[in-house]
Structure formats: C-alpha cells, structure tokens
Amino acid sequence: MELRKIELLEVWVRLVSPFETSFGRTVERPAILVRVEEKGGEEGWAEVVADSGPWYSYETNETAWHVIRDFIIPDLAKVSSPSDFPKVFSRIRGHNMAKAGVEMALWDLAAKLESRPLWRYIGGVNRNILSGVSVGVQPSIAELVRVVRGYLEQGYRRVKIKIRPGYDVEPVRALREEFGPDLPLQVDANAAYQLSDAEVFRALDRYSLLMIEQPLGWRDLVDHAALAKMIRTPVCLDESITDVDDARKAYQLDAAFVINVKPARVGGLGETLRIHDFWYGVAKRPIWIGGMLETGVGRGHLVAAATLPGVRYPNDISASSRYYESDIVEPPWELNKDGTITAPERPGIGVEVLVDRVKKAVKRSLERSLS
Ligand code: OSB
Ligand code: MG
C-alpha cells in the first residue's frame, strides 16, 4: 500500500451511564479517530483509546496526539503494510495506544484493499463472538443486582464486575445469591490490591469465579505468580501484558492462566496475533479480547480479534447501546438473541464511520499529506 494521507479527529463521547473502576470514574471519554488513505482513495479507520488521565496506563489523549503527530506521522510513508509497522517504529518505546491507533487503521485499509473482512484477513475463524459485559462499581449492592439483571435480560453471556478494596467479596456474594452458581461471573481489580490482601482472594476463591483479572500491580508478574499458587480461581492478566515478551515471561513464571488481550494495550493487531499465537499456540492457554469502552470504530477491531481460535472465553465486547446513546458507525454493533455479536462480511471492520456526525462533534483535528 502507498499511503497518501492521514487524519486525526478527536471527539469526546458520553457514556450512557458512568463507568467506575478502582482507578476512577468515566462519564465522557476522548476518542482520537485515525483515518488513513492510500493513493487509490481507499481508507482505513481506527481509534486511539487513551483516556484523559494516566490512570489505566501512563498514556493520555494528549501524549497519544503528541506521539502520533511528532514521531509516527513523520515516518509513516515508510510503512507499506501493517506488518512493517513495528520495524519502522521500533525506536519508540511504549506508547502502545498511540501506535495501535495508527497500526489498526492500516489493518482496516489492508483488508479493504483486498475486499475482505478484517476478521478473515487476520485469520479469524469464529464468526459469532461471545459477548460479555463489564459492569462498573455501583453505588449500592441493590443497584448492582438491578443493573446485572438488566444485562442478563438483554442476553449477555457473562458478567464481569469491577472490584476494589471494600467492594469485593460482598458484591460477588450478592450476585451468586441472586443469580445462582451457574452465572458466568468474573472480577476485575485493575491492580488495586497487594499480595498482603490474600484474605480477600481466599474469600473470593469460594465463589467459582471464571477468573480474577489483574488483582495486583499494573506491571507485576512475580506477585501474581505467587497469588496464582494460593487460589484455585484462574488468574487473568490485563495491564501487566504489553507485548508477547511479557506473555512469555508470564508463562515462564506461571503468573496467569489466561490473558485479556486488548489490541490497544499491546500496540495493535500485529502484537495481538503474536500474543495469541504464543499463549494459545505454544503455551496452550486461552485468551479473550478486552475493551476500553471503544466507539463503534475501535469495536470493529475488537470483534475481528475475538474471532481468533484461541479466544476461549466471552469478551468485553458489548453492543453499541451498552456504551453510547448513538454510536458513530452504521450499522451500530448489535447483540444477537443468543448473546453473540456477528462479525460482518463487509470489507475491513465492516461498518461505515458517520463522518458528518464526527466532523460536527470534532474537538481538534489534524491532516497530513504523506506523499
Ligand atoms: O480493565 O478491562 C478493563 C474499561 C476501561 C479501562 C479498563 C477496563 C475497562 C473495561 C471495560 O473493563 C471493557 C469494555 O470496553 O466493555
Ligand atoms: Mg481489566
């Protein structure tokens, strides 16, 4: 592919309800939409998910804008396929969300140039992906039960709740009491605990959770390995895995049974595939695909990744309506009655970006010619 142009469009999108985790509360979030265009006029789209503050990771929408504008765009013309991306930008340490935003736009473009759906283009096999829902910390246990019941009625196949010190065993106990032992249930601590909180994990261990996600430090592997030996519940890593090398080390230390792979966190779809091929293909362990409250644009890349054969648990990929009043793509992402989302057969991510709506809402933009 010969790239002709790149555009960045930053919009702020408001969630249908606030999303609260151990690191903070999100009501509205920035999304930097990336549009690349090649010489024949074909386009590719993706999204930078970095939040307004360095809470989940050190990146923000400001650092991502800076890194893309000043360090990625100047060398972007050297890239002639998405798989070149890591080589060309190997000098840039970290900033995976910034990299992923551009890299994934190239994957969408590459698939469209071959008139193939992105999920088939990257080797996906399961067209109907299992959709789970990630439920933020709620103001009360009664409210949590009510919110979860609503999602189950809509058809979501698995529930993940956010936990933090003081809001952990009690919400899990309440959900088990209300919905029984068969509800596929898991928890995500977003690195809010320490190994010395072992008592909490031993208590959670009695509730047959599918997994416990990122209980300990956001860069830790060693303490997670120690915790994994103490409990039966499988340990899942999110924040701690930023590339395939981290995955290899996690395997060597036995720090996790499962990885929540977020394409944005690991620098894009290329690294997603490498982690998949190692964790599933070599280590013979399962992955699933996590989200960052993406708009319909980023959701397209998540859906594609979730069709990979090593995805063995339901994903944090819900319908557009779970996040936004009106999404910025057409058609919006919908949940089937059986709790799956169907990967489209249209080329690329398979949804049209509502460019007029985006341009009306845009907070800042940048356009650079690449030829
Ligand atoms: O830890 O998985 C996480 C959202 C923002 C930041 C971190 C996380 C999450 C989620 C939501 O859990 C997943 C989704 O997009 O539905
Ligand atoms: Mg997580």
PDB file of all heavy atoms in Angstrom, residues 270-306:
ATOM      1  N   GLY A 270      -1.119  -6.623  15.109  1.00  0.00           N
ATOM      2  CA  GLY A 270       0.063  -7.470  14.865  1.00  0.00           C
ATOM      3  C   GLY A 270       0.510  -8.125  16.163  1.00  0.00           C
ATOM      4  O   GLY A 270       0.715  -9.343  16.224  1.00  0.00           O
ATOM      5  N   GLU A 271       0.641  -7.322  17.217  1.00  0.00           N
ATOM      6  CA  GLU A 271       1.089  -7.868  18.503  1.00  0.00           C
ATOM      7  C   GLU A 271      -0.010  -8.741  19.132  1.00  0.00           C
ATOM      8  O   GLU A 271       0.293  -9.723  19.807  1.00  0.00           O
ATOM      9  CB  GLU A 271       1.505  -6.734  19.443  1.00  0.00           C
ATOM     10  CG  GLU A 271       2.397  -7.178  20.597  1.00  0.00           C
ATOM     11  CD  GLU A 271       3.781  -7.661  20.151  1.00  0.00           C
ATOM     12  OE1 GLU A 271       4.163  -7.461  18.984  1.00  0.00           O
ATOM     13  OE2 GLU A 271       4.477  -8.271  20.994  1.00  0.00           O
ATOM     14  N   THR A 272      -1.260  -8.402  18.877  1.00  0.00           N
ATOM     15  CA  THR A 272      -2.375  -9.248  19.336  1.00  0.00           C
ATOM     16  C   THR A 272      -2.208 -10.660  18.758  1.00  0.00           C
ATOM     17  O   THR A 272      -2.347 -11.663  19.466  1.00  0.00           O
ATOM     18  CB  THR A 272      -3.727  -8.649  18.882  1.00  0.00           C
ATOM     19  OG1 THR A 272      -3.916  -7.400  19.554  1.00  0.00           O
ATOM     20  CG2 THR A 272      -4.893  -9.574  19.188  1.00  0.00           C
ATOM     21  N   LEU A 273      -1.878 -10.725  17.467  1.00  0.00           N
ATOM     22  CA  LEU A 273      -1.703 -12.029  16.820  1.00  0.00           C
ATOM     23  C   LEU A 273      -0.492 -12.769  17.403  1.00  0.00           C
ATOM     24  O   LEU A 273      -0.545 -13.980  17.623  1.00  0.00           O
ATOM     25  CB  LEU A 273      -1.528 -11.857  15.304  1.00  0.00           C
ATOM     26  CG  LEU A 273      -2.757 -11.303  14.567  1.00  0.00           C
ATOM     27  CD1 LEU A 273      -2.402 -10.980  13.111  1.00  0.00           C
ATOM     28  CD2 LEU A 273      -3.924 -12.299  14.619  1.00  0.00           C
ATOM     29  N   ARG A 274       0.590 -12.033  17.668  1.00  0.00           N
ATOM     30  CA  ARG A 274       1.773 -12.691  18.240  1.00  0.00           C
ATOM     31  C   ARG A 274       1.483 -13.230  19.633  1.00  0.00           C
ATOM     32  O   ARG A 274       1.910 -14.344  19.979  1.00  0.00           O
ATOM     33  CB  ARG A 274       2.967 -11.725  18.263  1.00  0.00           C
ATOM     34  CG  ARG A 274       3.642 -11.589  16.887  1.00  0.00           C
ATOM     35  CD  ARG A 274       4.892 -10.730  16.935  1.00  0.00           C
ATOM     36  NE  ARG A 274       4.557  -9.317  17.000  1.00  0.00           N
ATOM     37  CZ  ARG A 274       4.217  -8.575  15.944  1.00  0.00           C
ATOM     38  NH1 ARG A 274       4.167  -9.121  14.741  1.00  0.00           N
ATOM     39  NH2 ARG A 274       3.925  -7.299  16.096  1.00  0.00           N
ATOM     40  N   ILE A 275       0.770 -12.466  20.450  1.00  0.00           N
ATOM     41  CA  ILE A 275       0.420 -12.950  21.795  1.00  0.00           C
ATOM     42  C   ILE A 275      -0.508 -14.161  21.677  1.00  0.00           C
ATOM     43  O   ILE A 275      -0.322 -15.180  22.358  1.00  0.00           O
ATOM     44  CB  ILE A 275      -0.234 -11.827  22.631  1.00  0.00           C
ATOM     45  CG1 ILE A 275       0.792 -10.729  22.917  1.00  0.00           C
ATOM     46  CG2 ILE A 275      -0.808 -12.390  23.939  1.00  0.00           C
ATOM     47  CD1 ILE A 275       0.215  -9.479  23.560  1.00  0.00           C
ATOM     48  N   HIS A 276      -1.491 -14.054  20.798  1.00  0.00           N
ATOM     49  CA  HIS A 276      -2.406 -15.182  20.554  1.00  0.00           C
ATOM     50  C   HIS A 276      -1.634 -16.436  20.161  1.00  0.00           C
ATOM     51  O   HIS A 276      -1.848 -17.522  20.710  1.00  0.00           O
ATOM     52  CB  HIS A 276      -3.398 -14.795  19.448  1.00  0.00           C
ATOM     53  CG  HIS A 276      -4.227 -15.934  18.942  1.00  0.00           C
ATOM     54  ND1 HIS A 276      -3.791 -16.786  17.926  1.00  0.00           N
ATOM     55  CD2 HIS A 276      -5.454 -16.392  19.306  1.00  0.00           C
ATOM     56  CE1 HIS A 276      -4.732 -17.695  17.706  1.00  0.00           C
ATOM     57  NE2 HIS A 276      -5.738 -17.480  18.521  1.00  0.00           N
ATOM     58  N   ASP A 277      -0.714 -16.274  19.209  1.00  0.00           N
ATOM     59  CA  ASP A 277      -0.011 -17.446  18.695  1.00  0.00           C
ATOM     60  C   ASP A 277       0.895 -18.069  19.758  1.00  0.00           C
ATOM     61  O   ASP A 277       1.070 -19.279  19.792  1.00  0.00           O
ATOM     62  CB  ASP A 277       0.801 -17.082  17.442  1.00  0.00           C
ATOM     63  CG  ASP A 277      -0.127 -16.723  16.277  1.00  0.00           C
ATOM     64  OD1 ASP A 277      -1.364 -16.895  16.405  1.00  0.00           O
ATOM     65  OD2 ASP A 277       0.384 -16.250  15.239  1.00  0.00           O
ATOM     66  N   PHE A 278       1.442 -17.225  20.630  1.00  0.00           N
ATOM     67  CA  PHE A 278       2.266 -17.786  21.706  1.00  0.00           C
ATOM     68  C   PHE A 278       1.383 -18.404  22.800  1.00  0.00           C
ATOM     69  O   PHE A 278       1.537 -19.569  23.162  1.00  0.00           O
ATOM     70  CB  PHE A 278       3.179 -16.720  22.332  1.00  0.00           C
ATOM     71  CG  PHE A 278       3.866 -17.256  23.550  1.00  0.00           C
ATOM     72  CD1 PHE A 278       4.925 -18.148  23.416  1.00  0.00           C
ATOM     73  CD2 PHE A 278       3.393 -16.957  24.829  1.00  0.00           C
ATOM     74  CE1 PHE A 278       5.524 -18.717  24.540  1.00  0.00           C
ATOM     75  CE2 PHE A 278       3.981 -17.526  25.960  1.00  0.00           C
ATOM     76  CZ  PHE A 278       5.049 -18.406  25.812  1.00  0.00           C
ATOM     77  N   TRP A 279       0.444 -17.613  23.309  1.00  0.00           N
ATOM     78  CA  TRP A 279      -0.302 -18.052  24.510  1.00  0.00           C
ATOM     79  C   TRP A 279      -1.197 -19.248  24.193  1.00  0.00           C
ATOM     80  O   TRP A 279      -1.293 -20.190  24.976  1.00  0.00           O
ATOM     81  CB  TRP A 279      -1.127 -16.890  25.070  1.00  0.00           C
ATOM     82  CG  TRP A 279      -1.560 -17.091  26.483  1.00  0.00           C
ATOM     83  CD1 TRP A 279      -2.795 -17.468  26.903  1.00  0.00           C
ATOM     84  CD2 TRP A 279      -0.760 -16.940  27.662  1.00  0.00           C
ATOM     85  NE1 TRP A 279      -2.822 -17.557  28.282  1.00  0.00           N
ATOM     86  CE2 TRP A 279      -1.582 -17.242  28.770  1.00  0.00           C
ATOM     87  CE3 TRP A 279       0.584 -16.590  27.896  1.00  0.00           C
ATOM     88  CZ2 TRP A 279      -1.110 -17.190  30.091  1.00  0.00           C
ATOM     89  CZ3 TRP A 279       1.042 -16.542  29.199  1.00  0.00           C
ATOM     90  CH2 TRP A 279       0.208 -16.838  30.273  1.00  0.00           C
ATOM     91  N   TYR A 280      -1.809 -19.213  23.036  1.00  0.00           N
ATOM     92  CA  TYR A 280      -2.711 -20.310  22.650  1.00  0.00           C
ATOM     93  C   TYR A 280      -1.945 -21.407  21.904  1.00  0.00           C
ATOM     94  O   TYR A 280      -2.074 -22.589  22.227  1.00  0.00           O
ATOM     95  CB  TYR A 280      -3.844 -19.769  21.780  1.00  0.00           C
ATOM     96  CG  TYR A 280      -4.810 -20.833  21.321  1.00  0.00           C
ATOM     97  CD1 TYR A 280      -5.584 -21.530  22.245  1.00  0.00           C
ATOM     98  CD2 TYR A 280      -4.951 -21.140  19.971  1.00  0.00           C
ATOM     99  CE1 TYR A 280      -6.469 -22.513  21.831  1.00  0.00           C
ATOM    100  CE2 TYR A 280      -5.837 -22.123  19.556  1.00  0.00           C
ATOM    101  CZ  TYR A 280      -6.591 -22.811  20.491  1.00  0.00           C
ATOM    102  OH  TYR A 280      -7.469 -23.773  20.073  1.00  0.00           O
ATOM    103  N   GLY A 281      -1.132 -20.989  20.931  1.00  0.00           N
ATOM    104  CA  GLY A 281      -0.466 -21.960  20.061  1.00  0.00           C
ATOM    105  C   GLY A 281       0.678 -22.692  20.754  1.00  0.00           C
ATOM    106  O   GLY A 281       0.839 -23.894  20.568  1.00  0.00           O
ATOM    107  N   VAL A 282       1.475 -21.989  21.535  1.00  0.00           N
ATOM    108  CA  VAL A 282       2.651 -22.599  22.176  1.00  0.00           C
ATOM    109  C   VAL A 282       2.342 -23.005  23.617  1.00  0.00           C
ATOM    110  O   VAL A 282       2.548 -24.143  24.019  1.00  0.00           O
ATOM    111  CB  VAL A 282       3.876 -21.642  22.126  1.00  0.00           C
ATOM    112  CG1 VAL A 282       5.081 -22.290  22.803  1.00  0.00           C
ATOM    113  CG2 VAL A 282       4.197 -21.257  20.678  1.00  0.00           C
ATOM    114  N   ALA A 283       1.833 -22.048  24.408  1.00  0.00           N
ATOM    115  CA  ALA A 283       1.574 -22.327  25.833  1.00  0.00           C
ATOM    116  C   ALA A 283       0.282 -23.123  26.037  1.00  0.00           C
ATOM    117  O   ALA A 283       0.041 -23.643  27.126  1.00  0.00           O
ATOM    118  CB  ALA A 283       1.525 -21.020  26.621  1.00  0.00           C
ATOM    119  N   LYS A 284      -0.561 -23.185  24.982  1.00  0.00           N
ATOM    120  CA  LYS A 284      -1.828 -23.941  25.039  1.00  0.00           C
ATOM    121  C   LYS A 284      -2.775 -23.409  26.110  1.00  0.00           C
ATOM    122  O   LYS A 284      -3.429 -24.165  26.833  1.00  0.00           O
ATOM    123  CB  LYS A 284      -1.578 -25.446  25.296  1.00  0.00           C
ATOM    124  CG  LYS A 284      -0.553 -26.073  24.369  1.00  0.00           C
ATOM    125  CD  LYS A 284      -1.099 -26.237  22.976  1.00  0.00           C
ATOM    126  CE  LYS A 284      -0.049 -26.858  22.050  1.00  0.00           C
ATOM    127  NZ  LYS A 284      -0.251 -26.480  20.649  1.00  0.00           N
ATOM    128  N   ARG A 285      -2.796 -22.103  26.250  1.00  0.00           N
ATOM    129  CA  ARG A 285      -3.701 -21.479  27.216  1.00  0.00           C
ATOM    130  C   ARG A 285      -4.636 -20.517  26.486  1.00  0.00           C
ATOM    131  O   ARG A 285      -4.329 -20.047  25.402  1.00  0.00           O
ATOM    132  CB  ARG A 285      -2.909 -20.738  28.291  1.00  0.00           C
ATOM    133  CG  ARG A 285      -2.155 -21.706  29.195  1.00  0.00           C
ATOM    134  CD  ARG A 285      -1.405 -20.996  30.290  1.00  0.00           C
ATOM    135  NE  ARG A 285      -0.676 -21.996  31.076  1.00  0.00           N
ATOM    136  CZ  ARG A 285      -0.014 -21.743  32.182  1.00  0.00           C
ATOM    137  NH1 ARG A 285       0.016 -20.509  32.672  1.00  0.00           N
ATOM    138  NH2 ARG A 285       0.615 -22.702  32.828  1.00  0.00           N
ATOM    139  N   PRO A 286      -5.778 -20.215  27.112  1.00  0.00           N
ATOM    140  CA  PRO A 286      -6.798 -19.399  26.446  1.00  0.00           C
ATOM    141  C   PRO A 286      -6.573 -17.891  26.582  1.00  0.00           C
ATOM    142  O   PRO A 286      -5.939 -17.442  27.538  1.00  0.00           O
ATOM    143  CB  PRO A 286      -8.078 -19.787  27.189  1.00  0.00           C
ATOM    144  CG  PRO A 286      -7.606 -20.150  28.567  1.00  0.00           C
ATOM    145  CD  PRO A 286      -6.241 -20.756  28.404  1.00  0.00           C
ATOM    146  N   ILE A 287      -7.110 -17.151  25.636  1.00  0.00           N
ATOM    147  CA  ILE A 287      -7.178 -15.699  25.749  1.00  0.00           C
ATOM    148  C   ILE A 287      -8.627 -15.264  25.564  1.00  0.00           C
ATOM    149  O   ILE A 287      -9.498 -16.065  25.217  1.00  0.00           O
ATOM    150  CB  ILE A 287      -6.304 -14.956  24.705  1.00  0.00           C
ATOM    151  CG1 ILE A 287      -6.846 -15.131  23.273  1.00  0.00           C
ATOM    152  CG2 ILE A 287      -4.855 -15.411  24.782  1.00  0.00           C
ATOM    153  CD1 ILE A 287      -6.327 -14.117  22.278  1.00  0.00           C
ATOM    154  N   TRP A 288      -8.880 -14.004  25.788  1.00  0.00           N
ATOM    155  CA  TRP A 288     -10.128 -13.375  25.364  1.00  0.00           C
ATOM    156  C   TRP A 288      -9.801 -11.926  25.075  1.00  0.00           C
ATOM    157  O   TRP A 288      -8.708 -11.451  25.380  1.00  0.00           O
ATOM    158  CB  TRP A 288     -11.244 -13.530  26.395  1.00  0.00           C
ATOM    159  CG  TRP A 288     -10.942 -13.065  27.782  1.00  0.00           C
ATOM    160  CD1 TRP A 288     -10.217 -13.744  28.724  1.00  0.00           C
ATOM    161  CD2 TRP A 288     -11.335 -11.831  28.390  1.00  0.00           C
ATOM    162  NE1 TRP A 288     -10.158 -13.014  29.874  1.00  0.00           N
ATOM    163  CE2 TRP A 288     -10.827 -11.833  29.705  1.00  0.00           C
ATOM    164  CE3 TRP A 288     -12.082 -10.733  27.969  1.00  0.00           C
ATOM    165  CZ2 TRP A 288     -11.026 -10.769  30.597  1.00  0.00           C
ATOM    166  CZ3 TRP A 288     -12.290  -9.684  28.850  1.00  0.00           C
ATOM    167  CH2 TRP A 288     -11.762  -9.710  30.145  1.00  0.00           C
ATOM    168  N   ILE A 289     -10.737 -11.231  24.451  1.00  0.00           N
ATOM    169  CA  ILE A 289     -10.464  -9.865  23.998  1.00  0.00           C
ATOM    170  C   ILE A 289     -11.180  -8.864  24.896  1.00  0.00           C
ATOM    171  O   ILE A 289     -12.393  -8.941  25.086  1.00  0.00           O
ATOM    172  CB  ILE A 289     -10.889  -9.670  22.520  1.00  0.00           C
ATOM    173  CG1 ILE A 289     -10.183 -10.700  21.613  1.00  0.00           C
ATOM    174  CG2 ILE A 289     -10.577  -8.242  22.052  1.00  0.00           C
ATOM    175  CD1 ILE A 289      -8.657 -10.633  21.590  1.00  0.00           C
ATOM    176  N   GLY A 290     -10.394  -7.950  25.425  1.00  0.00           N
ATOM    177  CA  GLY A 290     -10.932  -6.916  26.299  1.00  0.00           C
ATOM    178  C   GLY A 290     -11.130  -5.621  25.548  1.00  0.00           C
ATOM    179  O   GLY A 290     -10.634  -5.447  24.426  1.00  0.00           O
ATOM    180  N   GLY A 291     -11.847  -4.700  26.183  1.00  0.00           N
ATOM    181  CA  GLY A 291     -12.131  -3.419  25.548  1.00  0.00           C
ATOM    182  C   GLY A 291     -11.738  -2.252  26.423  1.00  0.00           C
ATOM    183  O   GLY A 291     -11.387  -2.418  27.596  1.00  0.00           O
ATOM    184  N   MET A 292     -11.814  -1.080  25.853  1.00  0.00           N
ATOM    185  CA  MET A 292     -11.523   0.181  26.540  1.00  0.00           C
ATOM    186  C   MET A 292     -12.666   1.160  26.271  1.00  0.00           C
ATOM    187  O   MET A 292     -12.436   2.324  26.019  1.00  0.00           O
ATOM    188  CB  MET A 292     -10.195   0.746  26.047  1.00  0.00           C
ATOM    189  CG  MET A 292      -8.976  -0.082  26.443  1.00  0.00           C
ATOM    190  SD  MET A 292      -8.627  -0.036  28.217  1.00  0.00           S
ATOM    191  CE  MET A 292      -8.182   1.668  28.434  1.00  0.00           C
ATOM    192  N   LEU A 293     -13.902   0.643  26.308  1.00  0.00           N
ATOM    193  CA  LEU A 293     -15.091   1.474  26.075  1.00  0.00           C
ATOM    194  C   LEU A 293     -15.048   2.111  24.689  1.00  0.00           C
ATOM    195  O   LEU A 293     -15.500   3.241  24.483  1.00  0.00           O
ATOM    196  CB  LEU A 293     -15.208   2.568  27.150  1.00  0.00           C
ATOM    197  CG  LEU A 293     -15.097   2.101  28.607  1.00  0.00           C
ATOM    198  CD1 LEU A 293     -15.032   3.310  29.557  1.00  0.00           C
ATOM    199  CD2 LEU A 293     -16.261   1.204  28.996  1.00  0.00           C
ATOM    200  N   GLU A 294     -14.532   1.384  23.726  1.00  0.00           N
ATOM    201  CA  GLU A 294     -14.393   1.885  22.365  1.00  0.00           C
ATOM    202  C   GLU A 294     -15.712   2.357  21.755  1.00  0.00           C
ATOM    203  O   GLU A 294     -16.777   1.829  22.073  1.00  0.00           O
ATOM    204  CB  GLU A 294     -13.827   0.773  21.450  1.00  0.00           C
ATOM    205  CG  GLU A 294     -12.329   0.540  21.529  1.00  0.00           C
ATOM    206  CD  GLU A 294     -11.912  -0.392  22.661  1.00  0.00           C
ATOM    207  OE1 GLU A 294     -12.730  -0.715  23.544  1.00  0.00           O
ATOM    208  OE2 GLU A 294     -10.730  -0.802  22.666  1.00  0.00           O
ATOM    209  N   THR A 295     -15.603   3.302  20.833  1.00  0.00           N
ATOM    210  CA  THR A 295     -16.747   3.633  19.971  1.00  0.00           C
ATOM    211  C   THR A 295     -16.880   2.482  18.964  1.00  0.00           C
ATOM    212  O   THR A 295     -16.096   1.536  18.963  1.00  0.00           O
ATOM    213  CB  THR A 295     -16.512   4.934  19.176  1.00  0.00           C
ATOM    214  OG1 THR A 295     -15.525   4.678  18.168  1.00  0.00           O
ATOM    215  CG2 THR A 295     -16.061   6.078  20.076  1.00  0.00           C
ATOM    216  N   GLY A 296     -17.840   2.600  18.090  1.00  0.00           N
ATOM    217  CA  GLY A 296     -18.060   1.573  17.076  1.00  0.00           C
ATOM    218  C   GLY A 296     -16.867   1.346  16.162  1.00  0.00           C
ATOM    219  O   GLY A 296     -16.750   0.270  15.550  1.00  0.00           O
ATOM    220  N   VAL A 297     -15.987   2.327  16.073  1.00  0.00           N
ATOM    221  CA  VAL A 297     -14.804   2.182  15.212  1.00  0.00           C
ATOM    222  C   VAL A 297     -13.823   1.191  15.839  1.00  0.00           C
ATOM    223  O   VAL A 297     -13.477   0.166  15.243  1.00  0.00           O
ATOM    224  CB  VAL A 297     -14.128   3.552  14.980  1.00  0.00           C
ATOM    225  CG1 VAL A 297     -12.844   3.378  14.176  1.00  0.00           C
ATOM    226  CG2 VAL A 297     -15.082   4.503  14.277  1.00  0.00           C
ATOM    227  N   GLY A 298     -13.402   1.484  17.078  1.00  0.00           N
ATOM    228  CA  GLY A 298     -12.485   0.577  17.762  1.00  0.00           C
ATOM    229  C   GLY A 298     -13.107  -0.791  17.989  1.00  0.00           C
ATOM    230  O   GLY A 298     -12.419  -1.817  17.995  1.00  0.00           O
ATOM    231  N   ARG A 299     -14.409  -0.811  18.177  1.00  0.00           N
ATOM    232  CA  ARG A 299     -15.127  -2.067  18.401  1.00  0.00           C
ATOM    233  C   ARG A 299     -14.958  -3.020  17.210  1.00  0.00           C
ATOM    234  O   ARG A 299     -14.913  -4.245  17.370  1.00  0.00           O
ATOM    235  CB  ARG A 299     -16.621  -1.761  18.651  1.00  0.00           C
ATOM    236  CG  ARG A 299     -17.423  -2.860  19.339  1.00  0.00           C
ATOM    237  CD  ARG A 299     -18.619  -2.254  20.055  1.00  0.00           C
ATOM    238  NE  ARG A 299     -18.098  -1.244  20.967  1.00  0.00           N
ATOM    239  CZ  ARG A 299     -17.541  -1.517  22.139  1.00  0.00           C
ATOM    240  NH1 ARG A 299     -17.495  -2.757  22.575  1.00  0.00           N
ATOM    241  NH2 ARG A 299     -17.030  -0.556  22.888  1.00  0.00           N
ATOM    242  N   GLY A 300     -14.868  -2.452  16.011  1.00  0.00           N
ATOM    243  CA  GLY A 300     -14.679  -3.280  14.822  1.00  0.00           C
ATOM    244  C   GLY A 300     -13.396  -4.099  14.905  1.00  0.00           C
ATOM    245  O   GLY A 300     -13.372  -5.288  14.543  1.00  0.00           O
ATOM    246  N   HIS A 301     -12.339  -3.482  15.388  1.00  0.00           N
ATOM    247  CA  HIS A 301     -11.064  -4.206  15.526  1.00  0.00           C
ATOM    248  C   HIS A 301     -11.147  -5.248  16.633  1.00  0.00           C
ATOM    249  O   HIS A 301     -10.574  -6.331  16.513  1.00  0.00           O
ATOM    250  CB  HIS A 301      -9.931  -3.217  15.798  1.00  0.00           C
ATOM    251  CG  HIS A 301      -9.721  -2.237  14.683  1.00  0.00           C
ATOM    252  ND1 HIS A 301      -8.920  -2.516  13.600  1.00  0.00           N
ATOM    253  CD2 HIS A 301     -10.250  -1.020  14.462  1.00  0.00           C
ATOM    254  CE1 HIS A 301      -8.951  -1.487  12.774  1.00  0.00           C
ATOM    255  NE2 HIS A 301      -9.751  -0.560  13.266  1.00  0.00           N
ATOM    256  N   LEU A 302     -11.875  -4.920  17.707  1.00  0.00           N
ATOM    257  CA  LEU A 302     -12.039  -5.889  18.803  1.00  0.00           C
ATOM    258  C   LEU A 302     -12.796  -7.125  18.315  1.00  0.00           C
ATOM    259  O   LEU A 302     -12.423  -8.263  18.621  1.00  0.00           O
ATOM    260  CB  LEU A 302     -12.811  -5.272  19.970  1.00  0.00           C
ATOM    261  CG  LEU A 302     -12.222  -4.045  20.653  1.00  0.00           C
ATOM    262  CD1 LEU A 302     -13.127  -3.617  21.814  1.00  0.00           C
ATOM    263  CD2 LEU A 302     -10.816  -4.317  21.148  1.00  0.00           C
ATOM    264  N   VAL A 303     -13.873  -6.890  17.577  1.00  0.00           N
ATOM    265  CA  VAL A 303     -14.690  -8.009  17.071  1.00  0.00           C
ATOM    266  C   VAL A 303     -13.826  -8.908  16.183  1.00  0.00           C
ATOM    267  O   VAL A 303     -13.852 -10.137  16.303  1.00  0.00           O
ATOM    268  CB  VAL A 303     -15.935  -7.486  16.324  1.00  0.00           C
ATOM    269  CG1 VAL A 303     -16.618  -8.609  15.541  1.00  0.00           C
ATOM    270  CG2 VAL A 303     -16.921  -6.845  17.305  1.00  0.00           C
ATOM    271  N   ALA A 304     -13.033  -8.279  15.310  1.00  0.00           N
ATOM    272  CA  ALA A 304     -12.163  -9.072  14.428  1.00  0.00           C
ATOM    273  C   ALA A 304     -11.217  -9.938  15.261  1.00  0.00           C
ATOM    274  O   ALA A 304     -11.082 -11.145  15.025  1.00  0.00           O
ATOM    275  CB  ALA A 304     -11.379  -8.146  13.494  1.00  0.00           C
ATOM    276  N   ALA A 305     -10.593  -9.340  16.281  1.00  0.00           N
ATOM    277  CA  ALA A 305      -9.640 -10.094  17.107  1.00  0.00           C
ATOM    278  C   ALA A 305     -10.339 -11.237  17.844  1.00  0.00           C
ATOM    279  O   ALA A 305      -9.760 -12.312  18.040  1.00  0.00           O
ATOM    280  CB  ALA A 305      -8.960  -9.152  18.104  1.00  0.00           C
ATOM    281  N   ALA A 306     -11.589 -11.012  18.238  1.00  0.00           N
ATOM    282  CA  ALA A 306     -12.307 -12.018  19.023  1.00  0.00           C
ATOM    283  C   ALA A 306     -12.707 -13.247  18.205  1.00  0.00           C
ATOM    284  O   ALA A 306     -13.179 -14.238  18.771  1.00  0.00           O
ATOM    285  CB  ALA A 306     -13.533 -11.391  19.678  1.00  0.00           C
TER     286      ALA A 306
END
